[in-house]
């Protein structure tokens, strides 16, 4: 009888562990980013207009391929950065930013900071700084893309 109860308790703990997996909302985000739901956070400027958008996307292979592949048809260019980070310019939606792949408790996420305007296609300081701040706040490191 004791063995049966122990078995069910262990099984219950394993099931609870799976259910309590890391989610996009479990991360700490840099100051002043507001949670708007579904792993999306917005930083507003002084006139209450979006200044930057943070997206925390659960990793899927097709997402990864889209993120790291240049696409001249859609005016999307990606530049490999340091420590498995990337910068991008997306002319089709007039955005640029920085992103990376992280893994937490066996779950992979794409962390993407984007801002409107591509007038300077080489200045990624704001989005990259927020990406590094995100890593520091969550004690995570970038993971190599597969």
């Amino acid at each position: 009888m004791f063995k049966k109860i122990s078995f069910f308790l262990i099984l219950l703990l394993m099931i609870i562990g799976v259910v309590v997996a890391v989610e996009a909302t479990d991360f700490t985000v840099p100051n002043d980013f507001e949670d708007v739901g579904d792993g999306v956070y917005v930083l507003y400027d002084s006139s209450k207009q979006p200044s930057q958008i943070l997206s925390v996307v659960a990793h899927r292979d097709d997402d990864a391929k889209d993120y790291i592949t240049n696409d001249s048809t859609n005016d999307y260019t990606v530049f490999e950065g340091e420590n498995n980070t990337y910068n991008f310019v997306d002319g089709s939606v007039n955005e640029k930013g920085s992103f990376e792949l992280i893994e937490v408790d066996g779950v992979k996420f794409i962390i993407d900071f984007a801002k409107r305007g591509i007038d300077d296609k080489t200045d990624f300081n704001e989005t990259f700084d927020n990406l590094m701040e995100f890593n520091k706040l969550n004690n995570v490191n970038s993971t190599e893309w597969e």
Side-chain angles (χ1 to χ4, degrees):
M1 179 68 158
F2 179 72
K3 287 182 180 181
K4 287 183 182 180
I5 292 172
S6 296
F7 173 76
F8 285 112
L9 286 175
I10 292 170
L11 183 61
L12 179 64
L13 286 174
M14 289 172 54
I15 291 171
I16 290 172
V18 170
V19 172
V20 184
V22 177
E23 294 185 20
T25 56
D26 293 340
F27 294 107
T28 302
V29 299
N31 289 339
D32 301 326
F33 276 84
E34 294 182 25
D35 185 353
V36 295
D38 294 329
V40 177
Y41 304 83
V42 178
L43 175 65
Y44 295 97
D45 64 17
S46 58
S47 62
K48 302 292 183 200
Q49 295 298 312
S51 171
Q52 274 190 58
I53 297 173
L54 161 61
S55 302
V56 179
V57 181
H59 175 273
R60 295 189 320 249
D61 288 337
D62 56 334
D63 291 329
K65 183 179 179 187
D66 289 343
Y67 270 82
I68 62 173
T69 303
N70 289 321
D71 183 354
S72 59
T73 304
N74 292 311
D75 198 18
Y76 179 80
T77 307
V78 63
F79 310 93
E80 189 169 354
E82 52 191 52
N83 298 325
N84 299 315
T85 61
Y86 295 81
N87 297 312
F88 70 91
V89 175
D90 190 342
S92 67
V93 292
N94 192 32
E95 286 183 349
K96 66 180 178 181
S98 305
F99 65 90
E100 68 182 335
L101 177 68
I102 65 169
E103 186 171 347
V104 178
D105 296 335
V107 180
K108 291 183 179 180
F109 294 93
I110 298 170
I111 309 302
D112 179 356
F113 283 90
K115 67 179 284 180
R116 304 285 294 159
I118 57 172
D119 49 319
D120 184 348
K121 294 182 179 183
T122 61
D123 180 12
F124 299 99
N125 291 333
E126 290 178 55
T127 55
F128 186 78
D129 289 348
N130 280 327
L131 183 62
M132 294 300 100
E133 179 66 17
F134 178 93
N135 288 351
K136 182 178 172 184
L137 290 169
N138 294 285
N139 195 31
V140 297
N141 294 310
S142 297
T143 301
E144 284 194 50
W145 292 76
E146 297 172 357

